């Protein structure tokens, strides 16, 4: 009862918490801290490895030898999965939304270096059929004698959620060490698992803070439903009766820009300014949008000036390189 499933130990944990002194001062608002989950590793860096520690352990327990997953062409999750697979002597098969352009950059380049098998599919196929495509590929690998394990997009399912369930526990013990209390925890939302894990843990541990997500694609309604469904799955694994209603899932919408992976010029300028101000590199797909959203909301007065805010740097640096030409110096 109420047991966290077993996991691998491959991420560099705990990750540091630092204060963004100059940004806090510039915004004349709350104290902004950042948790460096971009430093969970190098090849495996970012938030996905916390979830993969659980998913891949389950795959190993089932005797699987191929990890199949999916994502955008520059998916950090796919790169982390390829890295974990290779590190453990498993094979990986990535189903990527987009086409093989023959030139490889960022995460796609790393996937190639790490020896992942890659299957490109169209946006349409990705949206409507990614699960059945992965199931078909699983069958064809089984026919070749392999035992594949499917990890859904972003490892955002019941089992993966425990990665951020544990991260919340880590934050609570760091609060004690630092003598601080975080009133708000901010995270970018792409497939919902990070937010779901933090929220479930916050509720179960009865921690007095608010988890707020900035969605980087789709909209608030979409993610409330998606996070709700992930929570239902992880609650049944954890065997808890804790109820979390859709109303308790807090998402701030309005900072998606032109769509997934597409950042507005003002947002790109913000990423450049912040790099110069704090020596902090954010990515244009996730963390750069969420931090831009946070700064805008602070300027609008959404947050109390006395609060402590913890922003989770979920990684993504490799996704910066394919977009370098969009930055105007
Ligand atoms: C995947 C990802 C996120 C979003 O996390 P989800 O659990 O998918 O919502 C945020 N930041 C980075 C860098 C990511 O790769």
């Amino acid at each position: 009862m109420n047991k966290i499933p077993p996991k691998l130990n491959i991420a560099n944990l705990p990750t540091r918490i630092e204060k963004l002194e100059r940004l806090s001062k510039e915004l004349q608002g709350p104290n902004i801290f950042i948790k460096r989950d971009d430093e969970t590793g190098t090849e495996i860096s970012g938030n996905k490895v916390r979830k993969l520690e659980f998913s891949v352990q389950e795959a190993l327990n089932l005797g699987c030898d191929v990890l199949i997953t999916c994502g955008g062409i520059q998916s950090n999750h796919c790169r982390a999965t390829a890295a974990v697979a290779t590190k453990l002597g498993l094979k990986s098969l990535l189903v990527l939304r987009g086409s093989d352009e023959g030139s490889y950059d960022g995460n796609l380049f790393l996937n190639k270096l790490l020896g992942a098998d890659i299957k490109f599919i169209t946006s349409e196929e990705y949206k409507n059929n990614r699960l059945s495509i992965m199931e078909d590929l699983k069958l064809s690998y089984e026919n070749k004698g392999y035992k594949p394990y499917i990890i859904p997009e972003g490892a955002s399912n019941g089992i993966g959620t425990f990665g951020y369930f544990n991260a919340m526990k880590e934050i609570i013990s760091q609060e004690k060490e630092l003598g601080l209390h975080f009133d708000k925890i901010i995270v970018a939302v792409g497939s919902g698992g990070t937010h779901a894990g933090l929220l479930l843990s916050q509720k179960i541990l009865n921690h007095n803070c608010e988890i707020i997500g900035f969605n980087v694609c789709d909209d608030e309604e979409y993610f409330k439903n998606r996070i709700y469904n992930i929570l239902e799955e992880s609650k049944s694994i954890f065997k808890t009766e804790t109820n979390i209603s859709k109303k308790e899932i807090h998402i701030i919408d309005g900072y998606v820009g032109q769509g997934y992976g597409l950042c507005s010029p003002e947002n790109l300028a913000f990423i450049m300014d912040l790099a110069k101000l704090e020596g902090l590199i954010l990515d244009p797909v996730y963390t750069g949008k969420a931090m831009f959203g946070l700064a805008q909301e602070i300027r609008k007065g959404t947050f109390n000036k006395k609060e402590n805010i913890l922003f989770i740097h979920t990684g993504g640096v490799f996704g910066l390189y394919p977009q370098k030409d969009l930055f105007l110096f």
Side-chain angles (χ1 to χ4, degrees):
M1 284 290 263
N2 279 206
K3 259 185 69 185
I4 295 177
K7 72 171 191 77
L8 293 167
N9 261 312
I10 46 177
N12 281 321
L13 301 177
T15 56
R16 283 186 301 161
I17 291 180
E18 303 164 346
K19 185 169 181 195
L20 298 178
E21 291 280 0
R22 289 181 290 275
L23 181 66
S24 304
K25 207 167 180 183
E26 188 176 288
L27 294 170
Q28 299 176 315
N31 295 309
I32 306 170
F33 295 82
I34 190 160
K35 182 163 173 63
R36 301 300 301 266
D37 275 14
D38 55 322
E39 295 179 352
T40 48
T42 300
E43 303 83 0
I44 59 169
S45 66
N47 62 337
K48 300 306 177 318
V49 68
R50 285 194 190 258
K51 310 187 209 182
L52 290 170
E53 285 195 329
F54 286 92
S55 326
V56 179
Q57 180 64 262
E58 184 174 77
L60 293 176
N61 293 349
L62 295 168
C64 295
D65 51 12
V66 182
L67 303 179
I68 301 179
T69 197
C70 64
I73 198 150
Q74 282 298 329
S75 163
N76 299 305
H77 162 68
C78 288
R79 179 257 312 149
T81 303
V84 170
T86 306
K87 197 179 172 73
L88 299 176
L90 312 174
K91 280 173 73 70
S92 62
L93 169 59
L94 310 176
V95 176
L96 301 180
R97 180 180 55 214
S99 58
D100 191 347
E101 289 143 3
S103 81
Y104 305 113
D105 200 352
N107 286 303
L108 182 56
F109 169 65
L110 296 180
N111 293 337
K112 286 279 187 185
L113 270 186
L114 292 162
D117 283 339
I118 298 175
K119 180 175 173 63
F120 293 96
I121 62 174
T122 64
S123 301
E124 196 76 347
E125 289 171 318
Y126 190 89
K127 190 160 173 257
N128 304 319
N129 302 320
R130 62 177 182 269
L131 279 178
S132 63
I133 291 172
M134 287 196 288
E135 290 291 346
D136 289 348
L137 289 165
K138 180 171 181 241
L139 267 180
S140 75
Y141 271 66
E142 278 167 355
N143 291 336
K144 288 189 256 172
Y146 290 105
K147 197 159 181 226
Y149 177 90
I150 294 178
I151 302 171
E153 183 185 64
S156 285
N157 60 354
I159 185 86
T161 299
F162 289 97
Y164 274 84
F165 189 97
N166 273 0
M168 186 71 216
K169 289 170 100 177
E170 190 177 302
I171 291 167
I172 294 172
S173 81
Q174 287 177 308
E175 281 187 323
K176 293 199 184 95
E177 275 166 37
L178 297 166
L180 273 170
H181 171 72
F182 298 112
D183 302 287
K184 303 275 152 66
I185 296 178
I186 309 287
V187 71
V189 177
S191 61
T194 304
H195 191 298
L198 291 167
L199 185 57
L200 183 64
S201 195
Q202 182 257 334
K203 282 287 280 189
I204 287 177
L205 303 173
N206 214 354
H207 183 262
N208 178 24
C209 76
E210 193 181 352
I211 314 294
I212 301 175
F214 283 87
N215 56 304
V216 304
C217 53
D218 300 287
D219 60 18
E220 180 179 353
E221 180 68 19
Y222 172 86
F223 278 112
K224 283 194 164 182
N225 288 322
R226 189 148 176 189
I227 290 169
Y228 184 83
N229 293 335
I230 299 169
L231 285 169
E232 288 299 301
E233 246 185 72
S234 41
K235 276 164 56 183
S236 79
I237 298 175
F238 197 60
K239 300 191 171 51
T240 172
E241 301 297 312
T242 305
N243 253 323
I244 302 178
S245 69
K246 285 186 191 166
K247 264 199 268 160
E248 292 174 272
I249 302 171
H250 197 161
I251 301 278
I252 299 183
D253 200 348
Y255 301 97
V256 170
Q258 291 97 306
Y260 176 77
L262 307 170
C263 211
S264 69
E266 307 89 277
N267 198 338
L268 291 170
F270 173 83
I271 293 172
M272 281 172 59
D273 291 345
L274 187 65
K276 292 192 190 98
L277 184 70
E278 288 281 4
L280 180 71
I281 308 295
L282 299 180
D283 76 296
V285 185
Y286 296 97
T287 56
K289 280 187 185 176
M291 185 68 93
F292 178 65
L294 175 63
Q296 298 289 94
E297 292 295 321
I298 289 174
R299 288 197 175 97
K300 280 203 245 165
T302 306
F303 298 97
N304 183 316
K305 282 183 187 295
K306 296 208 179 74
E307 283 178 338
N308 290 325
I309 292 186
L310 180 66
F311 181 94
I312 308 211
H313 191 327
T314 39
V317 69
F318 303 120
L320 187 62
Y321 295 90
Q323 297 209 21
K324 59 184 177 298
D325 295 340
L326 299 175
F327 288 83
L328 304 172
F329 294 101

